[in-house]
Amino acid sequence: MQVNAREILIGGYTPSSTLVDASWVALRVVAGLFMAFGHGLDKVPPQEPFIGMVGDMGFPAPAFFAWGAGLVEFFGGLLLAAGALTRVSAFSILITMLVAGFIAHAGDPFADKELALLFAAVMLPFMVAGAGRWSGDSFLRERY
């Protein structure tokens, strides 16, 4: 594949190009692993301070919702990284991050909300486009 300056500056890559596929994998793996190990790992099992925070947000059965958030962040992140059940994982992470950004950090400065909102934004294209050609979902789709 020959790449020229015009293509780099103003486009020319198609959704099925090797470079797009590699970029999609990189974003999916980094976002998924950062979510799993940067956010979810410490919440499985959820500790009492996190359960209390979930309760303070007004959720009924705070232990249940704390477990839910932890499982979504950890296992959803791993599934996203693998490109398996990507749309479901991305949707679950999106909802969890919107709760974190707009409810858990509602009164906090923007800098404290920024990471949750960034993760939420990154989930949108995965919900729409799926995991891409180099993914667990694609492998399963080709096999079954």
Side-chain angles (χ1 to χ4, degrees):
M1 174 171 105
Q2 182 180 2
V3 177
N4 63 41
R6 179 181 169 275
E7 290 175 336
I8 292 171
L9 293 174
I10 61 172
Y13 297 115
T14 64
S16 62
S17 76
T18 301
L19 187 57
V20 169
D21 290 335
S23 299
W24 202 238
V25 169
L27 178 62
R28 193 184 72 236
V29 169
V30 168
L33 293 179
F34 282 18
M35 176 58 60
F37 294 106
H39 288 269
L41 186 61
D42 292 341
K43 294 178 182 141
V44 178
Q47 303 300 310
E48 191 55 45
F50 181 59
I51 294 171
M53 184 181 83
V54 171
D56 292 343
M57 287 189 282
F59 284 94
F64 173 79
F65 283 98
W67 268 101
L71 292 173
V72 162
E73 291 177 11
F74 184 68
F75 290 107
L78 292 178
L79 287 168
L80 181 72
L85 299 174
T86 304
R87 288 186 167 119
V88 172
S89 299
F91 176 76
S92 301
I93 293 168
L94 171 72
I95 297 303
T96 304
M97 292 296 101
L98 290 175
V99 168
F102 291 117
I103 297 175
H105 296 290
D108 296 345
F110 179 75
D112 294 342
K113 302 173 190 189
E114 179 182 7
L115 186 58
L117 298 177
L118 180 60
F119 269 115
V122 168
M123 294 307 118
L124 290 173
F126 290 112
M127 285 175 42
V128 172
R133 288 191 313 156
W134 299 347
S135 66
D137 288 342
S138 180
F139 175 80
L140 292 173
R141 195 171 35 252
E142 291 172 6
R143 299 283 183 261
Y144 302 102

